Amino acid sequence: MSNKIQSLSGYIHEYQKSVNEPEKFWARIANSFHWHKPWDKVLSWSSEGPHVKWFENAKLNITENIFERHLFTHGDKAAIIWEPNDPKEQNRIISYRELYELTCQFSNVLKAQGVNKGDRVIIYMPMIPEASVAMLACARIGAVHSVVFAGFSSSALADRIIDCEAKMVLTSDGNFRGSKNIPVKAVVDEALEKTSTVEKVIVCKRTNAEVTMVPGRDIWWHDSIKDQSLEHKAESLDSEDLLFILYTSGSTGKPKGVVHTTGGYMVYTQYSFENVFQYEQNDVYWCTADIGWITGHSYIVYGPLLSGATTLMFEGVPTFPHPGRFWEIVDKYQVNQFYTAPTAIRALQAKGLEPVNPYKLDSLKVIGSVGEPINEEAWHWYHDHIGKGNCPLVDTWWQTETGGIMISALAGITPNKPAHASLPLPGIQPIIVDAEGNELKGNNVEGNLCIKFPWPSMLRTTYGDHKRFKETYFSAYPGTYFTGDGAKRDHDGYIRILGRVDDVINVSGHRMGTAEVENAMNEHPRVIESAVVGFPHDIKGQGIYAYVICDQEGISNEALIQEIKNTVRKIIGPIAKPDEIQIVPGLPKTRSGKIMRRILRKVASKDISNLGDTSTLLNPEIVDQIIEGAQIK
Ligand code: WTA
């Protein structure tokens, strides 16, 4: 049943097969799952549409492949280990059988509250097991979940509810994050004032915060499950039925709803999980992401649970109540695979070795990185001090759109190279292209990263806007999926990701569209125009630098800057708050009125040595004024 690759030669062999005969390859992998009805065709692909279908006309339920497939063999095994924000609080260990029952019970709740196949359900919840139950229950009845990171503001939440016309919102009374107690239900209430489709809100008790319950609309989670059976017959779904929508930032202002479907996503997340992490049946695996991001979907919930793994879910933050919390948890549960983001590594590295030294960390077999390029310094610190020099470090490159890990070492199987994502997984055909779209073959080449052949967990569309899907991903290089990232293939053939080449910045591993932040700033009544760029930041990878033209009458710079930052926090959420705001008299523009961001990026990076030709600007004098304002020494 296992499709785990065991050796380097095995990888080379599998990779070749996956490229030579992709359909035969994926059919073999998919055969180890439980399908109600087999597929008529493994892959239908037209780059014109573009339209892609995997396992066409097959019928299945992803949760049966998590539960029914595993219950006989390991019903009593821990599915989720939940570690609370406050270490003094009781943890929870939930077996596969218990998780199955909770999922069935909540599936019955959803049905009883009028949610049907195809309906959209927003999940705006903290990192508690009920959030996973909510996702799985949606999947069991065929409803489409859309998890919204619980740090987003009410207006960001409202935008997502409106875009997918959600029928229900699942939330909690509050959310513990470090020393904070965040009133999430109030955020939902505010969001719902702007929307009209939501009929019911189910509220899970977590912090015991006082909340307002709207009669007829709001129901407590614990009341809703009271008389519901612990059994539920899973809906038989089409392989291409929607599993979830996850909103992510792009080059334009409005976040897009990335759509993933059932069959292909199931096959790929399980296959990639088992191979990248080389998970063995008694291992404890921990991914520190939040379920509000794709990493949480694919590698806290679906990939591990489909593999029958024990997946650790941590409610809190790395530094609460002390900066050794991550390592304490690793020792406490004897974690074998640990998967986190470079920003967390850099933040912990900055605290020195004192918080690390008290812990053994000797259970670790594999350590992983995701979300942004990992710099060599952080790579070595992580490898030497956490992995103790003897754990493979898998630097996994992928995206919300790809559904699963695309380029990564397979732990202990394919070689590790610092700061390199390294080699593609079987079935993945990355290419590096020049500006004209010519494939740069061979080694020692640098350009834009594309994927030239479909893979099972690729996004199918952007929700409600197929044209945007085509324009965003398939128009730069027709027929080929464009990732938005730059990459280099080094002299040994290993791929190194260089970062985004579009107007997306990566702040602490979170994607932010520069236009999205600009739109939010422009909501401030004093802001006339703004431009946002990324700049190198020691901990966050990239920080947000904003240039704004303002009406400053009667207000100090500092007060205005603070107000603008708060506006962004209110409209998007704290993660989008600019690190630096510079008030400027104008923005450098080309004669056609386009902002010359190249110059703004250089100034924000405090590197003005090579600004290039500015004489063609409409307003060349503005450049010196901006440099002066930035106070670069
Ligand atoms: C970046 C997160 C370098 C990249 C799974 C990509 C990475 C974007 C890596 C997707 C990595 C992700 N090395 N860069 N290992 N992993 N990225 O959609 O720019 O939140 O396009 O998915 O993160 O971010 P997203």
Side-chain angles (χ1 to χ4, degrees):
M1 197 208 86
S2 169
N3 290 306
K4 197 150 63 172
I5 295 167
Q6 315 274 356
S7 64
L8 182 58
S9 59
Y11 163 77
I12 295 167
H13 185 69
E14 287 289 275
Y15 190 79
Q16 272 319 321
K17 281 203 286 194
S18 78
V19 172
N20 295 343
E21 293 180 292
E23 300 187 24
K24 202 167 152 200
F25 174 82
W26 286 115
R28 173 168 60 78
I29 306 293
N31 262 326
S32 60
F33 291 83
H34 172 67
W35 305 83
H36 295 169
K37 174 183 170 294
W39 48 90
D40 296 333
K41 203 163 174 240
V42 177
L43 169 66
S44 294
W45 165 238
S46 122
S47 63
E48 273 308 301
H51 293 294
V52 64
K53 284 185 181 161
W54 281 92
F55 312 112
E56 199 169 356
N57 296 330
K59 301 277 183 259
L60 77 154
N61 189 288
I62 193 168
T63 70
E64 282 182 335
N65 282 277
I66 290 174
F67 297 121
E68 279 86 338
R69 198 166 62 126
H70 293 141
L71 282 180
F72 287 118
T73 47
H74 47 246
D76 296 327
K77 179 178 172 175
I80 296 178
I81 296 176
W82 178 74
E83 170 71 12
N85 178 59
D86 181 348
K88 292 201 278 304
E89 201 187 332
Q90 184 62 46
N91 64 356
R92 286 167 71 184
I93 297 183
I94 300 171
S95 70
Y96 269 86
R97 192 176 319 283
E98 285 162 336
L99 188 62
Y100 165 71
E101 290 176 355
L102 292 170
T103 300
C104 286
Q105 188 182 40
F106 204 67
S107 302
N108 290 324
V109 169
L110 292 176
K111 293 295 279 188
Q113 297 299 335
V115 178
N116 290 310
K117 185 182 158 199
D119 288 342
R120 275 80 57 212
V121 174
I122 294 274
I123 301 177
Y124 187 75
M125 291 179 77
M127 287 287 288
I128 53 177
E130 283 73 11
S132 304
V133 169
M135 291 164 77
L136 295 168
C138 287
R140 194 153 177 100
I141 69 165
V144 180
H145 60 70
S146 185
V147 184
V148 177
F149 174 58
F152 275 121
S153 69
S154 66
S155 68
L157 175 61
D159 287 347
R160 287 154 175 78
I161 293 173
I162 292 167
D163 190 77
C164 73
E165 297 174 292
K167 195 170 187 181
M168 180 180 266
V169 176
L170 305 176
T171 189
S172 64
D173 51 355
N175 185 353
F176 291 128
R177 298 277 295 163
S179 54
K180 292 192 205 125
N181 182 341
I182 304 160
V184 278
K185 170 66 165 61
V187 180
V188 172
D189 291 339
E190 206 178 308
L192 293 187
E193 281 170 21
K194 303 183 198 122
T195 69
S196 58
T197 54
V198 174
E199 292 168 12
K200 291 273 157 60
V201 178
I202 301 186
V203 188
C204 189
K205 224 180 203 20
R206 172 65 190 115
T207 60
N208 282 322
E210 189 99 13
V211 298
T212 323
M213 297 293 277
V214 176
R217 188 195 75 182
D218 299 353
I219 313 153
W220 285 108
W221 183 293
H222 55 264
D223 287 336
S224 76
I225 57 177
K226 253 180 204 150
D227 300 316
Q228 296 298 346
S229 145
L230 302 181
E231 281 172 26
H232 176 273
K233 189 170 176 300
E235 190 82 25
S236 187
L237 302 171
D238 191 273
S239 179
E240 284 299 335
D241 275 339
L242 267 60
L243 177 62
F244 65 85
I245 303 168
L246 186 56
Y247 286 86
T248 190
S249 297
S251 294
T252 56
K254 198 171 154 252
K256 46 185 181 259
V258 168
V259 169
H260 284 289
T261 57
T262 306
Y265 179 84
M266 168 180 81
V267 170
Y268 195 78
T269 52
Q270 192 281 327
Y271 178 76
S272 53
F273 171 76
E274 147 174 86
N275 277 293
V276 169
F277 297 101
Q278 291 288 305
Y279 182 85
E280 290 175 282
Q281 272 314 315
N282 293 320
D283 289 345
V284 175
Y285 160 89
W286 179 21
C287 166
T288 70
D290 190 284
I291 50 147
W293 312 117
I294 190 69
T295 308
H297 284 60
S298 301
Y299 299 109
I300 294 178
V301 181
Y302 288 109
L305 294 177
L306 284 161
S307 303
T310 298
T311 175
L312 198 152
M313 186 176 193
F314 175 43
E315 185 185 34
V317 297
T319 49
F320 179 84
H322 59 81
R325 186 76 194 276
F326 268 6
W327 322 127
E328 182 182 69
I329 297 174
V330 168
D331 274 9
K332 178 173 176 187
Y333 298 105
Q334 294 290 289
V335 170
N336 303 107
Q337 288 91 5
F338 175 74
Y339 189 31
T340 196
T343 188
I345 297 298
R346 287 189 297 263
L348 295 172
Q349 181 184 2
K351 310 244 177 248
L353 286 177
E354 215 174 292
V356 183
N357 287 337
Y359 305 102
K360 284 207 178 81
L361 305 179
D362 57 353
S363 56
L364 289 174
K365 298 199 281 194
V366 177
I367 53 178
S369 170
V370 60
E372 47 175 323
I374 179 164
N375 48 309
E376 294 203 19
E377 204 192 336
W379 196 99
H380 285 291
W381 188 85
Y382 190 25
H383 184 259
D384 296 349
H385 298 293
I386 306 305
K388 307 292 180 198
N390 52 29
C391 293
L393 195 170
V394 290
D395 178 1
T396 64
W397 174 84
W398 59 297
Q399 309 177 295
T400 305
E401 294 85 344
T402 69
I405 298 169
M406 303 287 277
I407 305 178
S408 168
L410 309 185
I413 304 286
T414 56
N416 254 188
K417 188 161 191 173
H420 286 68
S422 83
L423 300 171
L425 265 67
I428 307 306
Q429 301 187 34
I431 52 170
I432 296 178
V433 299
D434 64 15
E436 282 73 49
N438 304 309
E439 182 176 346
L440 302 172
K441 296 198 170 148
N443 293 342
N444 249 333
V445 292
E446 188 178 318
N448 288 343
L449 181 65
C450 295
I451 314 289
K452 78 169 179 198
F453 194 80
W455 63 100
S457 64
M458 70 189 281
L459 81 164
R460 301 301 196 256
T461 187
T462 46
Y463 192 74
D465 195 350
H466 198 68
K467 195 163 150 260
R468 186 171 180 197
F469 164 73
K470 184 172 182 166
E471 276 166 13
T472 312
Y473 305 105
F474 291 92
S475 66
Y477 309 106
T480 303
Y481 172 81
F482 174 45
T483 64
D485 279 314
K488 180 178 172 166
R489 196 182 303 106
D490 75 2
H491 50 273
D492 293 324
Y494 294 103
I495 294 175
R496 179 174 194 152
I497 306 297
L498 302 171
R500 302 289 305 195
V501 293
D502 53 8
D503 288 328
V504 172
I505 48 186
N506 195 323
V507 185
S508 301
H510 300 145
R511 266 164 76 165
M512 268 301 134
T514 51
E516 212 179 327
V517 183
E518 288 162 8
N519 289 348
M521 289 198 299
N522 295 349
E523 291 288 308
H524 189 284
R526 296 288 185 104
V527 173
I528 296 162
E529 197 180 357
S530 61
V532 163
V533 295
F535 72 99
H537 187 288
D538 284 349
I539 305 288
K540 299 179 177 182
Q542 278 188 299
I544 302 179
Y545 197 111
Y547 298 87
V548 283
I549 307 174
C550 293
D551 152 24
Q552 265 182 284
E553 215 173 302
I555 183 165
S556 72
N557 263 8
E558 288 81 87
L560 189 53
I561 286 172
Q562 211 42 54
E563 278 189 11
I564 298 172
K565 285 187 178 176
N566 284 340
T567 305
V568 177
R569 170 193 281 267
K570 195 153 186 317
I571 292 180
I572 307 176
I575 53 173
K577 202 176 80 175
D579 298 273
E580 302 282 345
I581 293 185
Q582 183 182 342
I583 298 180
V584 292
L587 292 165
K589 291 201 175 158
T590 61
R591 287 184 196 280
S592 60
K594 250 186 112 195
I595 297 172
M596 242 209 212
R597 286 171 191 275
R598 180 173 56 76
I599 294 172
L600 298 179
R601 275 190 216 108
K602 284 249 170 198
V603 176
S605 314
K606 304 220 180 297
D607 166 21
I608 49 168
S609 54
N610 209 344
L611 286 182
D613 183 12
T614 55
S615 63
T616 57
L617 288 176
L618 200 59
N619 49 353
E621 72 291 345
I622 206 73
V623 177
D624 284 337
Q625 294 175 27
I626 289 179
I627 293 172
E628 198 177 314
Q631 294 178 331
I632 301 170
K633 284 169 205 95

